[in-house]
């Protein structure tokens, strides 16, 4: 029973309070939608979850244990897709993907680079240097990364930006499949990706003055 | 005149006619030049037999400069008028010029060991020829440093034009600075100051080098043009 | 026309502001300059005779290397964040925008370097007679380096592995400035007239002032394509 | 009567044919929506319109005159918003905006930096260094640029990426206002920004084999 | 554990592939190295006596400068395109990833530099007795430069102003390598034993091998926050 939650998280960036006393919890097979206007702190919360930022106070628990305790193991459990795409333009699409699959440290038998390419309709671009990709193709390559090696927790920051209808469909399907396997997803988005069962509105935790200022 | 050559097919036809001619001239003049240089011309009273190095060295140095001027001129034409043949001439000239420059440098330092007692000195003539060599290298590296071939061609063309300043520096460095290297004695305003017995093989070799340049140039440009044709065909095929 | 000079001034102002806010580049250049000059005696050994003999050369080589080091970011950041496209899309002639950027570059890197140079000459035991000429030569030479460097910086945009390609392209073109810069100081140190060399440096500056912005702009235009 | 059109445009990027024989035309007060799946060439067409790329064949006309003829004047007539945001993180929001307004060469009396900031709800961030902006705020700053100095032709590449609902509304309003003043807009987008009266589907002009390969 | 070495190898492989794809990266570092060595004689004047005397210093200073020049982008590109965040998020210890990147850096820049150095020594009229020791000293010294430089490269990320200052503090750490590197060669040229200096260089290498990856990793974690 995987389970990821945060208690009373407060985050300060560059002397500005982003949010205070924020709680969240994601259960097995659940998708948490982070909503809120621009600048409310969705991306910040995702970085916090990944461990790229540290909260000023509060703690996060994975299966009831603090993520700080055994940070290395926790890092092996998650995939993070941020605004930046971490694509090396000199490498081909496949090389990019394979590299990140290898870095995940996951047993080679469990990796599925080819399938991931197929999921996001990139197979025919596999041997193309990534510099020739269009904005949407880059985004798809970045998303394919999370399918290429398994990890229970996905943290996605506006994954549907630049995607066309077909690719948004592929993304939805990938998320559903992941859910069915019992995976956890936290996604920040302004669009509707699926019926929002589990929504966290960040603007509730922001002090409007400081978040907007 | 150069509108006439703008047509690649016409250029191809012309070069295929000229190529055997260039080859024949190269073989004859080089052969005769080498014979004169090695057997007919007298040893110098100062430099003795090493003077024969001159017949290899001096034309190579001339060609190094000649090729660069050609490179810069055809680059300018390619850049301003988007003249495809000029671009190909420039691209094909660069490696040939680099080889001549290398030859001038190598034979120069081989000659320098007996004459000056050292392989290399940092005087203005030698240094500026070395810069010329770097310019050729820079041109070739820049040409291939981009993913889009046209982008590399144009960047390199700009470099070639900027670098042409170096050529007069090479030519006149011996007059502007005190150098070990000797000043011009053939290409001078008041006529050559060199004995005819040495001048003949030297000029023969110079003609031979030039013909050799054109010979290789024709081969390379034709290869490039054909590659271009293939590429154009592919694109047309894709357009359907 | 006056609108145009406003644009010119506003571009210079932005560059200088960026240089100050970032603090990185110009600081880095000056430090690099100091470092090369300091490293050299360490490498060569402390004999003052030799140091004095080569002081002008070391200072010029250091100036040249640090100009080069700072050069490669001149258009690169604008290229990467899309500002270059927008600059090209403004209705001003690109040549003059390039000139403005080059001037700003010199003000933020060349000028501090000139200001610090007497101190370094002191470190190298240069004789007092050389200082004035060294400053004059640097003042005439470093803008030339910036102008020539701008061509290289524009040519390498979008190239694979640009940094070192730049040095390959522009160092050969820097050499005349180096030669005359050093020989001006050396002449002053040996009590010979250094005016001819300074005149040549001035001529080089004028020539590159007139030609380089055109070449750089041409290179930029096709980089954006 | 402003009018912008292209005839039989063919574009090749890196030896790959993106589209062939493409025609478009935008009349006064019109918005042209560019649609097509990822990688079909929307961004490429916008770059072509701006003059950042050159077509292999075909020409573009502004009021019946070729845009190549008097390129400098034509450049003064357009605003371009691409994927890259041209924001200097060391400058404040206002400094960034003012700089681009000044570079536009437009008469200072006609510039409206303050209004533009207001339109995109950035006024309270005006003196903040741009490095502290969130993804959506950056996008808004970039969009504010086109309102800060007037120009008849707007070329927008996926302007609604990362924007929250309120900001998409502001963008819609800005486009409508521009239309009412007789402005021309070309916008590449996967979302609905307004009733699509004038849609150009780029995938019609791409040879599927080469565009997808 | 074996999985870990696979990750290690895969990172090195990627770096080398990137270096090669990006257009003969190592060739260009070598070019820079050659150009610096060529420039010094130009600045200093052509007297062969002086050149021979300073040849070891010039080669070492040039090696140091080219190591530094190629260093600054070691983490920068990964930082800018978000790869660094992802690398930090992999379950491997960051120290070892840093080490892998540093080793790849040395393989693509330091090694070619060592290979070309005899040619430059020839240009500078170095005496034959110095060649072997010079190669040994470079082989021991350049990895140290890469390791120390990695700290600077990590510090320069993120925190702008302070990062630059800190990385400037790193540069003096290069100096011991320079001094012992030069004096090893000088000793060989004057027929003195150069073993002590080489031992010191080896010691420096071991020490920086043990310490530098930790410092760099700490700086990187900072930058990502
Ligand atoms: C690497 C070393 C050298 C280089 C780069 C070099 C370069 C050149 C160049 C560029 C020219 C053509 C000059 C012109 O047309 O005005 C030339 C001509 C010549 N070089 Fe060298 N040279 C080198 C070494 C030597 C040596 C060692 C000697 C013999 C002592 C020598 C003797 C000559 C002569 C006799 C000419 C013909 C000058 C004339 O009659 O116009 N060179 N060299
Ligand atoms: N620099 C380049 N060199 C070669 N091909 C390129 C280059 N940039 C893009 N392409 C190719 O051109 C095609 C069109 O790209 P473009 O960016 O215009 O697509 P797009 O319609 O904007 O897609 P998206 O919706 O993903 O942004 C793509 O197939 C892409 O692979
Ligand atoms: N490096 C930083 N230093 C200081 N403040 C920051 C930094 N990055 C972001 N902020 C501020 O933190 C707040 C939250 O930013 P964040 O990027 O998390 O917003 P977001 O909800 O993801 O918005 P968007 O929908 O626009 O992506 C914003 O008000 C922003 O100004
Ligand atoms: Mg965000
Ligand atoms: Mg696009």
């Amino acid at each position: 029973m995987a389970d990821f939650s945060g208690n009373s998280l407060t985050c300060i960036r560059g002397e500005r309070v982003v949010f205070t006393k924020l709680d969240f919890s994601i259960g097995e097979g659940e998708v948490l939608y982070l909503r809120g206007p621009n600048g409310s702190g969705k991306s910040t919360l995702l970085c916090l979850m990944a461990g790229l930022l540290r909260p000023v106070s509060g703690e996060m628990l994975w299966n009831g244990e603090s993520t700080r305790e055994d940070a290395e193991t926790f890092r092996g459990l998650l995939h993070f897709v941020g605004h930046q795409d971490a694509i090396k333009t000199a490498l081909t699409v496949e090389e990019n993907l394979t590299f990140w699959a290898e870095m995940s440290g996951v047993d080679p038998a469990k990796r599925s680079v080819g399938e991931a390419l197929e999921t996001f309709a990139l197979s025919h671009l596999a041997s193309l240097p990534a510099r020739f990709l269009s904005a949407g193709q880059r985004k798809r390559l970045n998303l394919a990364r999370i399918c290429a090696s398994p990890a229970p927790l996905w943290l996605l920051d506006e994954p549907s930006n630049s995607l066309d209808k077909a690719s948004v469909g592929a993304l939805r399907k990938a998320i559903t499949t992941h859910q069915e396997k019992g995976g956890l997803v936290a996604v920040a988005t302004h669009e509707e990706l699926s019926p929002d069962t589990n929504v966290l509105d960040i603007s509730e935790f922001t002090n409007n003055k400081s978040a907007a200022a | 005149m150069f509108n006439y050559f703008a047509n690649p097919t016409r250029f191809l036809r012309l070069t295929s006619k000229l190529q055997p001619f260039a080859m024949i001239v190269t073989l004859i003049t080089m052969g005769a030049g080498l014979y004169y240089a090695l057997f007919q011309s007298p040893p110098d009273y100062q430099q003795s037999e090493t003077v024969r190095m001159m017949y290899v060295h001096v034309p190579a140095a001339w060609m190094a400069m000649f090729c660069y001027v050609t490179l810069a001129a055809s680059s300018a034409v390619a850049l301003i008028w988007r003249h495809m043949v000029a671009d190909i001439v420039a691209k094909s000239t660069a490696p040939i010029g680099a080889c001549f420059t290398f030859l001038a440098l190598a034979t120069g330092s081989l000659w320098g060991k007996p004459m000056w007692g050292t392989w290399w000195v940092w005087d203005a003539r030698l240094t500026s020829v070395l810069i010329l060599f770097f310019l050729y290298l820079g041109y070739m590296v820049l040409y291939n440093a981009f993913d889009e071939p046209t982008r590399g061609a144009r960047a390199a063309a700009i470099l070639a034009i900027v670098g042409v300043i170096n050529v007069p520096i090479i030519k006149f460095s011996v007059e502007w600075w005190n150098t070990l290297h000797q000043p011009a004695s053939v290409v001078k305003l008041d006529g050559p100051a060199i004995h005819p017995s040495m001048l003949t093989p030297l000029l023969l070799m110079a003609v031979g080098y030039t013909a050799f340049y054109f010979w290789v140039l024709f081969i390379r440009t034709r290869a490039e043009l054909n590659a271009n044709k293939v590429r154009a065909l592919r694109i047309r095929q894709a357009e359907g | 026309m006056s609108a145009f000079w406003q644009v010119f001034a506003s571009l210079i102002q932005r560059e200088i502001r960026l240089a100050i806010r970032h603090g990185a580049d110009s600081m880095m250049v000056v430090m690099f300059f100091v470092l090369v000059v300091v490293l050299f005696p360490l490498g060569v050994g402390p004999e003052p005779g030799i140091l004095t003999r080569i002081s002008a050369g070391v200072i010029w080589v250091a100036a040249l290397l640090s100009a080069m080091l700072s050069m490669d970011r001149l258009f690169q950041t604008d290229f990467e964040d899309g500002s270059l496209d927008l600059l090209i899309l403004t209705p001003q002639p690109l040549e003059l925008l390039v000139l403005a950027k080059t001037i700003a570059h010199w003000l933020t890197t060349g000028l501090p370097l000139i200001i610090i140079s007497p101190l370094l000459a002191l470190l190298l035991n240069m004789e007092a007679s050389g200082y004035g000429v060294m400053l004059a030569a640097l003042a005439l030479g470093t803008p030339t380096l910036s102008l020539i460097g701008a061509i290289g910086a524009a040519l390498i945009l979008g190239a694979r592995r640009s940094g070192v390609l730049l040095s390959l392209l522009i160092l050969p073109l820097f050499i005349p400035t180096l030669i005359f810069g050093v020989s001006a100081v050396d002449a002053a140190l040996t009590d010979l007239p250094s005016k001819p060399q300074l005149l040549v440096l001035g001529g080089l500056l004028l020539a590159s002032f007139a030609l380089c912005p055109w070449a750089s702009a041409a290179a930029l235009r096709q980089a954006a394509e």
Side-chain angles (χ1 to χ4, degrees), chain A, chain B, chain C:
Chain A
M1 274 306 290
D3 165 273
F4 184 42
S5 64
N7 293 327
S8 150
L9 297 165
T10 298
C11 183
I12 299 183
R13 292 189 83 169
E15 318 216 333
R16 296 151 46 77
V17 181
V18 182
F19 48 73
T20 49
K21 306 235 172 64
L22 185 146
D23 301 311
F24 71 88
S25 114
I26 319 177
E28 199 165 286
E30 249 181 27
V31 180
L32 178 70
Y33 286 91
L34 308 181
R35 303 233 176 235
N38 290 146
S40 52
K42 300 179 293 300
S43 306
T44 307
L45 180 56
L46 285 174
C47 287
L48 220 63
M49 288 179 175
L52 287 171
L53 286 177
R54 265 189 225 202
V56 184
S57 68
E59 58 165 2
M60 287 178 297
L61 306 172
W62 176 262
N63 285 342
E65 274 171 51
S66 166
T67 56
R68 285 258 147 221
E69 301 272 277
D70 188 2
E72 240 159 66
T73 317
F74 178 63
R75 289 207 304 264
L77 297 175
L78 64 87
H79 275 311
F80 178 78
V81 178
H83 283 298
Q84 292 170 306
D85 48 24
I87 290 172
K88 292 288 167 201
T89 51
L91 301 181
T92 67
V93 169
E94 186 167 11
E95 281 167 348
N96 266 295
L97 197 56
T98 310
F99 171 71
W100 288 115
E102 281 169 0
M103 293 305 291
S104 71
V106 167
D107 183 6
K110 287 198 194 145
R111 293 179 211 146
S112 48
V113 172
E115 276 171 50
L117 285 173
E118 210 142 293
T119 309
F120 287 98
L122 288 166
S123 312
H124 60 291
L125 301 172
S127 59
L128 198 72
R131 86 180 61 89
F132 295 131
L133 298 185
S134 75
Q137 287 162 343
R138 288 177 79 103
K139 192 86 200 185
R140 268 147 57 186
L141 172 52
N142 208 11
L143 287 170
R145 191 160 48 77
I146 58 178
C147 295
S149 63
L153 176 61
W154 288 3
L155 305 173
L156 313 177
D157 200 353
E158 311 199 23
S160 62
N161 268 0
S162 309
L163 292 187
D164 58 15
K165 301 264 151 63
S167 312
V168 174
L171 172 63
R172 277 207 194 103
K173 227 181 87 193
I175 292 182
T176 318
T177 316
H178 184 59
Q179 270 182 289
E180 278 161 11
K181 285 190 204 149
L184 286 65
V185 183
V187 52
T189 178
H190 297 290
E191 282 184 74
E192 308 293 313
L193 280 180
S194 70
D196 299 354
T197 49
N198 195 349
V199 174
L200 180 76
D201 189 344
I202 295 201
S203 52
E204 283 170 25
F205 302 92
T206 52
N207 175 327
N208 267 333
K209 270 187 271 89
S210 57
Chain B
M1 166 69 180
F2 70 63
N3 265 334
Y4 179 83
F5 290 123
N7 182 338
T9 353
R10 212 175 282 144
F11 187 81
L12 260 180
R13 219 180 310 135
L14 185 73
T15 49
S16 63
K17 270 191 216 128
L18 287 179
Q19 190 181 319
F21 180 69
M23 182 180 77
I24 291 165
V25 173
T26 307
L27 294 180
I28 292 178
T29 48
M30 283 260 218
L34 279 177
Y35 171 74
Y36 265 97
L38 297 179
F39 304 109
Q40 286 303 85
S41 72
D44 191 78
Y45 69 99
Q46 264 184 336
Q47 309 186 344
S48 67
E49 297 293 339
T50 57
V51 75
R52 300 195 198 285
M53 191 70 104
M54 178 173 76
Y55 308 113
V56 188
H57 168 76
V58 177
W62 285 343
M63 286 311 289
M65 291 187 288
F66 172 76
C67 285
Y68 197 88
V69 174
T70 314
L71 175 68
S74 46
S75 291
V77 173
L79 199 64
I80 297 167
W81 288 285
R82 305 227 163 188
H83 193 297
M84 197 244 272
V85 172
D87 175 46
I88 287 171
V89 168
K91 185 185 181 188
S92 318
T93 299
I96 313 176
C99 288
F100 281 129
T101 315
F102 183 78
L103 192 64
L105 283 168
T107 53
S109 30
L110 284 178
W111 200 0
K113 190 63 185 170
M115 298 316 301
W116 306 330
T118 167
W119 301 104
W120 186 260
V121 288
W122 290 104
D123 90 344
R125 161 64 57 86
L126 274 58
T127 308
S128 52
V129 175
L130 192 65
I131 294 175
L132 187 75
F133 187 57
F134 278 127
L135 279 172
Y136 276 120
L137 287 187
Y139 178 92
M140 290 188 284
V141 173
L142 193 61
Y143 202 108
N144 295 311
F146 295 89
D147 304 311
E148 282 178 62
T150 50
R151 173 91 177 74
R154 268 175 269 149
I158 294 173
L159 178 73
I161 295 168
V162 170
V164 82
I165 300 165
N166 192 37
V167 174
I169 294 180
I170 298 178
K171 181 77 196 147
F172 298 113
S173 51
V174 275
E175 286 159 33
W176 293 346
W177 291 280
N178 263 336
T179 56
L180 268 179
H181 196 282
Q182 68 202 76
S185 50
V186 180
V187 189
K188 285 203 317 185
L189 284 181
D190 45 2
I194 179 173
H195 196 269
S197 65
M198 291 164 119
L199 189 58
T200 319
L202 187 60
L203 289 183
L204 275 175
M205 287 301 282
V207 174
Y209 271 50
T210 317
F212 177 73
Y213 161 69
F214 280 107
W215 180 22
V216 181
L217 180 74
F218 291 151
I219 296 175
R220 289 186 53 90
T221 46
R222 292 184 56 193
E224 289 286 341
L225 279 169
N226 285 327
N228 269 7
K229 264 194 188 165
V230 171
R231 202 156 53 207
L233 268 180
R234 273 218 203 101
I235 288 175
R236 210 168 306 144
Q237 209 172 17
E239 280 185 21
Chain C
M1 206 52 210
S2 85
F4 170 70
W5 287 113
Q6 233 179 11
V7 168
F8 197 78
S10 128
L11 187 54
I12 293 191
Q13 191 191 335
R14 169 219 196 206
E15 295 292 315
I16 292 178
R17 203 180 268 163
L18 278 175
I20 293 173
R21 296 269 171 89
H22 262 282
D25 279 356
S26 29
M27 262 294 288
M28 187 76 182
V29 173
V30 174
M31 283 310 293
F32 186 83
F33 182 58
V34 173
L35 215 95
V36 175
V37 175
V38 171
L39 280 182
F40 206 74
L42 282 176
V44 171
E47 292 162 52
I50 285 198
L51 274 187
T52 311
R53 168 70 196 72
I54 64 176
S55 58
V58 171
I59 285 189
W60 263 99
V61 170
L64 208 143
L65 291 176
S66 28
M68 217 191 63
L69 193 75
S70 62
M71 216 62 231
D72 75 326
R73 307 293 292 166
L74 179 60
F75 301 114
Q76 191 78 39
T77 47
D78 279 341
F79 178 71
E80 280 166 6
D81 70 8
S83 300
L84 186 64
D85 285 346
L86 294 183
L87 282 176
I88 291 176
L89 286 178
T90 60
Q92 280 76 36
L94 192 55
E95 287 76 13
L96 286 154
L97 298 184
V98 168
L99 189 61
K101 271 189 85 81
T102 317
I103 291 176
H105 176 264
W106 181 78
L107 286 176
T108 52
T109 62
L111 199 57
L113 206 138
I114 297 179
I115 294 171
I116 197 104
S117 61
L119 208 71
L120 296 178
L122 198 69
L123 261 184
L124 294 173
N125 289 322
M126 187 188 277
E127 274 159 47
S129 56
Y131 282 67
V133 174
M134 180 189 73
L135 285 177
L138 282 174
L140 287 170
T142 49
T144 314
L145 298 184
S146 288
L147 284 162
I148 296 177
I151 304 179
L155 282 176
I156 57 160
L157 289 178
R160 297 179 236 122
R161 188 59 204 184
S162 46
V164 196
L165 175 58
L166 175 70
S167 54
L168 176 60
L169 296 185
I170 61 179
L171 273 185
L173 300 177
F174 279 179
I175 288 179
T177 310
L178 174 72
I179 291 179
F180 288 104
V182 175
S183 74
V185 185
D186 278 347
L189 288 175
T190 47
D191 290 326
L192 293 171
S194 57
K195 209 174 149 198
Q197 286 93 334
L198 289 180
L199 282 179
V200 174
L201 282 177
L204 285 175
L205 176 57
L206 281 181
S208 46
F209 192 81
L211 297 177
C212 293
W214 266 258
S216 315
L220 282 186
R221 269 205 204 90
Q222 47 99 22
E225 243 181 48

